[in-house]
Amino acid sequence: MRKFQVLFLLVSILSSSFAFSKPDPIKYRKSVYQIMGWHFGIMAAMAKGKKGYDRDVFMRSAAILRFVSNLPLEGFPVGSEKGNTKAKPEIWLDMKDFEEKMLQMQQEVSVLEEIANIGDLRKAKKQIGKVGRSCKSCHDKYKTK
Ligand code: HEC
């Protein structure tokens, strides 16, 4: 009897702690992209001279962007094409091409991290352009405006 009571208590604690935030792939991917956009924005502003160059801040943003760039893909499971989203249904018709674009962006982002760690702002500027184009190439094809 006691065992069942403990089990019941555990199950109710677990289910109530999940109840307030149901995992939602659309919110997940948007949040991930928000973080990416945030850190890309910091580096782009420094590259354009709109913000003073701070090597440590730049390095930190590059590291965060590199890590987070691995996350968006799992935010696009089958069935998440409907809802409050700008993702085009074409993604799920050619997931292989979408994955390739994601991979290309991840590669450009990891090169940016390497350059950031060396602290070469001139090279970083060029690489920021490449990263930006890799974001845009996917947005142009798979995201509505
Ligand atoms: C392989 C495709 C792909 C790549 C690469 C990509 N994005 Fe996106 N991005 C999307 C899609 C699709 C959406 C729309 C998500 C939605 O509304 O569900 C999006 C949305 C966004 C948003 C808006 C999020 C919101 O709150 O609605 C931002 C910001 C963003 N991306 C930034 C970036 C940045 C910065 C990069 C490059 C470093 C990038 N993305 C690379 C596909 C991509």
Side-chain angles (χ1 to χ4, degrees):
M1 214 40 196
R2 273 193 89 103
K3 260 191 201 159
F4 285 113
Q5 279 170 343
V6 171
L7 194 67
F8 178 76
L9 190 68
L10 259 175
V11 168
S12 43
I13 290 172
L14 280 174
S15 52
S16 67
S17 65
F18 284 119
F20 61 84
S21 67
K22 193 166 151 272
D24 172 356
I26 296 177
K27 281 186 187 160
Y28 175 87
R29 67 196 182 219
K30 284 185 179 176
S31 313
V32 167
Y33 282 129
Q34 282 289 322
I35 297 173
M36 287 171 54
W38 181 271
H39 289 285
F40 182 72
I42 290 174
M43 290 183 284
M46 286 185 188
K48 286 180 193 155
K50 287 187 182 165
K51 210 176 174 152
Y53 174 61
D54 179 324
R55 185 176 167 167
D56 290 337
V57 173
F58 197 99
M59 258 170 63
R60 178 175 178 272
S61 281
I64 294 171
L65 180 61
R66 207 267 308 142
F67 179 79
V68 177
S69 73
N70 296 307
L71 306 183
L73 199 56
E74 69 186 272
F76 292 91
V78 175
S80 66
E81 56 269 51
K82 291 213 176 81
N84 181 16
T85 178
K86 290 189 170 167
K88 288 189 185 170
E90 281 80 1
I91 293 170
W92 291 272
L93 299 177
D94 195 352
M95 190 43 93
K96 228 185 145 122
D97 181 60
F98 187 74
E99 281 177 17
E100 266 165 33
K101 289 200 179 304
M102 200 69 89
L103 188 67
Q104 199 172 354
M105 176 273 290
Q106 288 162 347
Q107 283 164 349
E108 298 297 2
V109 162
S110 41
V111 174
L112 179 61
E113 187 190 23
E114 283 165 27
I115 294 170
N117 290 344
I118 299 164
D120 188 333
L121 185 60
R122 270 170 59 107
K123 277 193 182 163
K125 275 184 197 172
K126 265 186 112 175
Q127 190 59 26
I128 289 228
K130 286 192 184 177
V131 170
R133 282 192 289 280
S134 73
C135 310
K136 190 175 182 298
S137 119
C138 185
H139 289 173
D140 286 349
K141 196 165 177 186
Y142 293 114
K143 179 177 163 289
T144 60
K145 298 269 182 288

